[in-house]
Amino acid sequence: MKNLKYFLCTMLLAGTLLYSCKSDLLEEKPTNVIVASEFFKTAADAEIALNGAYNAMQGEWVLDFLGMPVHWGNKGVDELNSPNWAAGGRKELQLYQITSNMGAIEDLWAGHYEAINVVNGVVDRVSEMSEELIDQEQKDRIVAEARFIRAMLYFSTVKIWENIPLIKNETRSLNDLFVGQALPDDVYAFIIEDLQYAEATLEEGQGEGRATKGAAAALLGKVYLQMTGHPLNQNDKFGLAITQFEKVIGSGTYGLLPEYADVFDYQNEDNIETIFAVKFDGPAMNGDGSSVGSYMGPNGSQENGGGWGTEFVNQELVSSYDDNDVRLCHNVAKHNVNTNCIDSCDPNCQLGACAWRPWKWHKPKPNTFLYDSPIDMIYIRYADILLSYAEALNRTEGGPSSVAYGLVNQITSRSNAPEFEEGMDMETFADALLRERRRELCFEGHRKDDLIRFGKLEEIVMAINETCWSSAGNPGPEYQDFKKRYPIPQREIDLNSTLKQNDGY
Amino acid sequence: MKNHNQLYFHPRKFKLFLMLFFISFISANVFAQFKVTGKVSGDNELLIGVSILAKDLVGVGTTTDVDGNYELDLPDGNQTLIFSYTGFTPKTIELNGQTTVDVVLELNLNTLDDVVVVGYGKVSRRDLTGSISSIKGEELTKIQSISFEQGLAARAPGVQVISSEGGPGAGVKIRVRGGTSINASNDPLYVIDGFPIQGSNQATNVGLGNSSSSPLASIDPNDIESIEVLKDASATAIYGSRGANGVVIITTKSGQKGKAETNFETYFGVSELARKLDLLSPQEYVDYWNEYFPYNPNDPNNQYSAQYRDELGNLIPLDDARITPFNWGNEVFRNSPIQSYRVSVSGGTDKTNYAGSFNYIDQQGIVNTSEFKRFGGNIKIDQKVSDKFKLGFNLNAGITDRGGIISAASEGRNGQNGVITNITLFTPVQGQIRYADATYDENGLLLSTRDGDVVNPKSLVDKTVNTNRTLNAFTNVYGEYQLAEGLTFRSSFGANINIFKGKAWFPSDFGWGRNVNGIAIIGTNQNSGWLNENTLSYVKKVGNHGFNAVLGYTTQYSQFETLRAESNDFPVPNINLDALGSALAAQTNRTNAGESGLRSYLGRVNYTLNEKYLFTVTGRYDGSSKFAKGKKYGLFPSAAFAWRLGEEKFIADVDAISSAKFRVSYGQSGNQSIPNDFSISSYGFANYGFGNTGQQSAVFLNRLDNPDLSWETTAQFDIGFELGLFKDRVYLNFDYYQKNTFDLLLAVPVPFTSGFRTSFQNLGEVENKGVELSISTRNITGKKFSWDTNFNISFNKNEVLNLGDAEEFLVSSIGEHRNDYIVRVGESIGSYYGFVNDGVYSYNDFVEFEGLGQAESEAIMADFDRAQDTWFTLKEGVPSKLGAARFRPGMIKLKDINGDGIVDPDDRTILGSSQPDHYGSVTNNFSYGPIDLSVFMTWSVGNEVYNNNLTRGMSTAIPFFNKYGVIRDRWSPTNTDTDVWGVWGEGDSGIGDDLQSYYIEDGSYLRIANLTLGYRFPKDLLQKVGIASARAYVGIDNIHVFTNYTGFDPDVSVGFNQLTPGLDWDAYPKMRTYRVGINVGLK
């Protein structure tokens, strides 16, 4: 009897105790993630959040190589050929068979806006931190770096889609999901504001992956320059661009490397020619590596330094190089890395021209990189600034000055390419400059923006005539003027009725 | 009673009441003045353990011993005794002073007196108002399935059991009356001896692959007394928030009074591959290769075109020493043994019932190295401490070991293919030239080709490690106290733990591990929890009014932890998994953890009037940690009414009708099976590296908070009818139901501009409605020969009714296709989505062949070295394909559904679904004297299977893989009357990562699932050797499948995403097993 009584009491007690121990049984208290409302309590929190902004920009489909450069800058232009077997929408983008329900366009859009929201969160929440939590100088620097990243993101978004929702703050409620489109002018104004703040706040220096005063100045110059072309066509921006480029050049922080190849050497990163790069570490560094060297790489197995074989080089690009131009054999792989050839231009090594592939970022032989290489994606480099400066000067001065020639010839002389000879008029110089930009900057994601800015996209696209088996076809037949920006993803229009599709789609 | 009831609602007073009750406890004492003895038999046997109760004396009774004898002391000889025994009709006998009473019990054909386990109680089937399928242990173990879920397959109407794949210990998906939810789990709640557990399949691979197994695989189906599947809301509402997907109640075997039994059971068997695939023969493969790589006189030693040709371009015959044909199937498949042993004891005395068992099973798979082993045990003890107080314990524990191959691997590149894909597609003929990008073993045999994309299946199986071990245990203690007649208080406390540890090793010489000099991964998951339940139940009969009520309060806590360690680059030979520290490159260790809790109040009242009108009202008020503050609690009520028509005079007078019942119920149950903490905004972790200083920690916002997140609710209406004819020789059970799930826990697509892809909200609605019918017939019930048949069939229609603002969203399965499934309003969840094939482009589709005959067309093609390098102009009106710029005959042609002249993503459509029109089974049991025979057949009709293996198996753009046999009939300039694309036909068509209808196949099947022939040894013979009973049997599982499906087996669904059902991708094939076994009962 006694035992029984004890037992029942114990049972009840055990139950009662467990309830009281677990009075928070129904509370949500995650320990495997950070609860948003409990973060941003220290300066260290703010720094970690800022790292998150860099990480967001680095994401696949954003400013990672596979994002904006591959799916926008290099596509539908005369740099690469997509073969028949290229999947994931790249072939369609190359051929201008563009529809608003393409997965690639959806992913590109989603990637950019996810990153924008992360960065908005950093800007908002760090700005909200009181002085007891973080000192003003550190706070300003963090906000300025984040705003630089936001400017990069909006710059690419407005170029790709033109008419985009301009979201300035982090989405914090389900009631704030539906935002309409802003005028491109307003988006550019916002970008300029961010960059001006970043330039004013940040320190000079190469930065080793961090945004700096120089990077902000350079990007702002490029933004002004792009504003001179479609859709804004604001010629007054050439002057503003020049001021920015002069600041970059005058800072003395940056310069050209003596060897073209060294710029893209993954063991020589954060060099003086790199103004800003999206950083990658790999292999096996928590998945922080890139596909840069594999997406575009020679024939042969990946561990020997080969690529995937889903991009081939445009034949006209190859023939545009002078035979002595060192960039030719650096940027174009004519060989198979499984053989013993090291120089792509070694005549004993050459494959048929249709098998030539892009090869700007060289992986070592052997390597274990696969999809996870340590190769950075350079976002702005000094050579681009020199050429952009020359471009702006040519336009504002109604023709090339000796300064402009000098700028371009810094580039050509480094690569043992033919110099620009004096005597060109404005248009001739601009045309030559555009071709020089392709030889210098090919595959880096600039070509489409350049062609749009120069008003040459249609002309160039129509002229593409590739006959190789490694080309799925020519983009000309499907090109139409409205295709110089992508359609707003149909999914977004379906979900958000305030959005209007870009004309033509 | 009213007073008592008032007391219960005040816990403090209630405790006081209990104390008082214990103190005033007096044990009854019966004075023996009259002794009655006798024998009880039935079905020509003496019956052991028959319960004998004195009708008018509380607590006076006994049971028969092993010889069927009983002896009972009574105060006088004017008592009435009730003899009852499972499976027999109870008999009531008035003693009238007799001292010896021998009783013969009649076999009971109907099941109305069976006790059915319901949530927090038991009722007789007669009094049931809800829709519950009950499966007895014997039925479950007829097919000696490894897990009870497999045993459930097609046994119960409304319960769909779908295999993930065919390997040993492979998981299954169970759907009770269809899937109710889109993003929350659709798996039923399992209740094991009272312990509720959300039993979703566990991943069994820590490296590659998407194989799964049941978390309850540790339970030996032979330990199960019965499984009850609660289907309608009246039955499930007592489990409230977790009842929406049905509840599977598992009751393990208990000992029975007087019935001491010791059993030994064993069987041996051998399994083989049940169905073979049609692949190209070595010669056909070489022919295909040579068509792909024509002879090139300018480059006679080309590593491709000279692979199977001599320098002059002549074909090398297969028996030539320069080339080596293989049959990978023969190398890797085997006939594999299975063995099982089980010992059990059970029994009981007046005070103690006990049951204990131990089982060991070792099943080798038909692919080398794959296996499943289990060591399991079950102990159950019930002790009557006094007449009023009962105490019980049980413990069920099992260790399962799985060894295996990588299957259902999601990646198809970088050597990450699964074994099955490699078996089917690895080159069947090794040519004469070594490739630059292939690896070879020391004998010069190919290890892998194409940078490790395709791996020699034998090496893959032999050298890759992929094993795991799981410990799963439940334990429970309860105390039950009878407070007053019919009023019982029960309190129980239980705990469970599930510990999984998986290991995977990918060696350095081929495949995935090659690039990084070996990959070793160790992963562990641990799930555990505790449960406290307190119930008060009351049973009372007053005149024509019967009451049966239960009230309860329960809390349950669950917790999980995971750890994953991975290292690469192992320089010391043969040292890897057991010394991760020897690796040169350690990856970041990853952990995860979380906890959740439920607090619930429940109640149920059954009321019967005149034993004809039955009413049940149930409710549960559940609070869950998974929801937002202020939204944690939900109420789930139900009500049911049943009318035992058979008891009404107008029916009772009809001779043919032996019983009839009409049931109707309506109620709500819920679903809370989503990950923890979804209502709060949170940051996930990442990293970023500046300069060369290494990685810095980074965080990013990954979830928008939803302060309104709450329950998903399912409302269900059920109407049912049960009819017994001809003394229940025919018994029919029919149900119609409609289940509407609303306020779905839905990952609602939100505009990407918000920074999020989806947000978890209570939005949307899904409907399931259907019909279930089961018919049992006793066709022949002779003394010597009997034959009975059980038939059941289920129809369920699943439809998405509402997705909030969205009309549809796309889902990608594992494998190489993207957006190959759709969830769309008006369709069933997880339909296949893609382009419709329209054969291939023919000569007629091109301007250049206008008006030409076959011979003239062939003549044009003959001018080209390779048909695939030539292009022609499509005629006006012939649709082109987005993603293709150039066309030729033999390329895949797709249907231009909207007729705009170009096949683009708008021309995608629903290609089918894995939902069958109906499914079911037929079982025929025969017995002739000591011989018994049963034949079990199952079917599924109208479901489609997504045979994703065809994507690679039919890829004519990749020469390095072997092909499926269908490629024999490929288009070529001379073979034009075909739907199968020619060389490069799909690569050039711009199909890319889209799904096309060619890969969707009819998955209807009829399976002879089991045939068992048994023999019971005669008792007199056995007695000489001291054995009580013995039965030997032979059985064959999965004898034959009648189907048009071209893959291994249409009963397949790999992967963990419930929105991508019916996917066959690198799935382990099903086996056919032949078994011989014997069950021996010792005295």
Side-chain angles (χ1 to χ4, degrees), chain B residues 199-213:
Chain B
S200 295
N201 278 345
Q202 279 179 335
T204 55
N205 304 298
V206 292
L208 300 174
N210 287 282
S211 296
S212 63
S213 75

Side-chain angles (χ1 to χ4, degrees), chain A residues 19 32 97 281 286 301 371 471, chain B residues 414 451 532 588 695 883 886:
Chain A
Y19 309 153
N32 54 347
Q97 298 183 340
D281 284 336
N286 288 329
S301 59
Y371 301 91
S471 164
Chain B
N414 295 350
D451 268 352
N532 175 259
T588 305
Q695 295 283 302
R886 302 186 289 202

Side-chain angles (χ1 to χ4, degrees), chain A residues 1 4-5 7-9 11-12 15-16 18-19 22-23 25-37 39-40 48-49 51-55 57-58 84-85 87-88 91-92 95 97-99 101 103-104 106-107 109-111 113-114 117-118 125 165 167 170-174 177-178 208-210 270 277-279 281 284-286 288 300-303 338 367-368 370-371 466-469 471-473 478 491-492 494-496, chain B residues 15 18-19 22 25 389 391 413-414 436-437 451 477-479 481 489 491-493 514-516 530 532 534 553 555-557 568 587-588 590 592-593 595 597-599 623-628 632-633 677-683 685-691 694-701 704-706 749-757 759 761 805-806 818 871 881-886 904-906 908 984 987-988 990 992-993:
Chain A
M1 264 323 292
L4 158 69
K5 217 161 56 184
F7 172 77
L8 269 194
C9 293
M11 275 313 237
L12 280 172
T16 318
L18 283 164
Y19 309 153
K22 277 281 160 202
S23 59
L25 187 73
L26 302 189
E27 243 175 80
E28 289 172 288
K29 278 192 169 170
T31 51
N32 54 347
V33 290
I34 295 170
V35 177
S37 56
F39 203 56
F40 296 96
I48 289 172
N51 295 343
Y54 280 96
N55 176 70
M57 156 206 79
Q58 180 208 51
N84 271 321
W85 54 92
K91 182 171 57 174
E92 287 84 344
L95 297 174
Q97 298 183 340
I98 301 171
T99 60
N101 52 12
E106 211 175 273
D107 285 337
W109 173 277
Y113 275 102
E114 275 174 331
N117 192 51
V118 168
R125 293 183 191 248
I167 295 165
E170 182 193 329
T171 308
R172 292 201 196 175
S173 158
L174 287 171
L177 298 179
F178 308 100
E208 296 198 323
R210 285 194 179 277
D270 306 319
V278 180
K279 301 288 292 177
D281 284 336
M285 298 285 282
N286 288 329
D288 203 38
S301 59
Q302 289 198 63
E303 55 193 42
N338 291 340
N367 75 78
T368 61
L370 279 182
Y371 301 91
E466 293 284 88
T467 52
C468 275
W469 51 261
S471 164
E478 295 276 348
R491 174 193 186 275
E492 294 293 275
D494 291 346
L495 289 173
N496 178 1
Chain B
K15 276 186 213 165
L18 275 180
M19 298 295 174
F22 303 145
F25 190 86
F389 180 49
L391 194 60
R413 50 186 188 182
N414 295 350
D437 59 353
D451 268 352
V477 53
Y478 73 87
Y481 191 79
F489 174 74
S491 183
S492 73
F493 186 76
R514 184 183 64 139
N515 273 289
V516 289
W530 55 254
N532 175 259
N534 304 285
Y553 173 60
T555 44
Q556 186 164 7
Y557 166 82
N568 303 343
Q587 304 289 297
T588 305
R590 293 183 190 280
N592 195 5
E595 46 184 20
L598 273 171
R599 174 170 294 159
S624 167
S625 65
K626 300 210 171 170
F627 300 121
K632 290 188 186 292
Y633 279 91
D677 312 316
F678 263 33
S679 78
I680 21 185
S681 178
S682 66
Y683 282 80
F685 299 95
N687 44 281
Y688 195 80
F690 297 103
Q695 295 283 302
Q696 294 190 17
S697 160
V699 296
F700 63 95
L701 197 57
L704 189 57
D705 63 2
N706 179 355
V750 296
F752 291 139
T753 51
S754 66
F756 303 93
R757 292 179 184 231
S759 135
Q761 298 176 36
D805 292 333
R818 210 184 118 102
W871 310 99
K881 166 76 175 69
L882 197 71
R886 302 186 289 202
D904 61 21
D906 290 338
R908 288 176 298 177
W984 264 110
D988 285 344
D993 43 17

Side-chain angles (χ1 to χ4, degrees), chain A residues 50-51 53-54 57 119 140-152 194-195 197-219 253-254 270 274-279 379-380, chain B residues 688-691:
Chain A
L50 175 64
N51 295 343
Y54 280 96
M57 156 206 79
V119 180
D140 291 346
R141 193 204 86 235
I142 290 171
V143 171
E145 285 185 46
R147 289 179 70 174
F148 173 84
I149 296 166
R150 185 164 67 184
M152 288 168 73
D194 272 347
L195 288 174
Y197 179 79
E199 190 186 343
T201 311
L202 295 173
E203 303 268 337
E204 200 59 70
Q206 199 281 330
E208 296 198 323
R210 285 194 179 277
T212 61
K213 184 186 284 295
L219 181 54
T253 306
Y254 310 104
D270 306 319
T274 305
I275 297 177
F276 187 81
V278 180
K279 301 288 292 177
Y379 181 75
I380 311 176
Chain B
Y688 195 80
F690 297 103

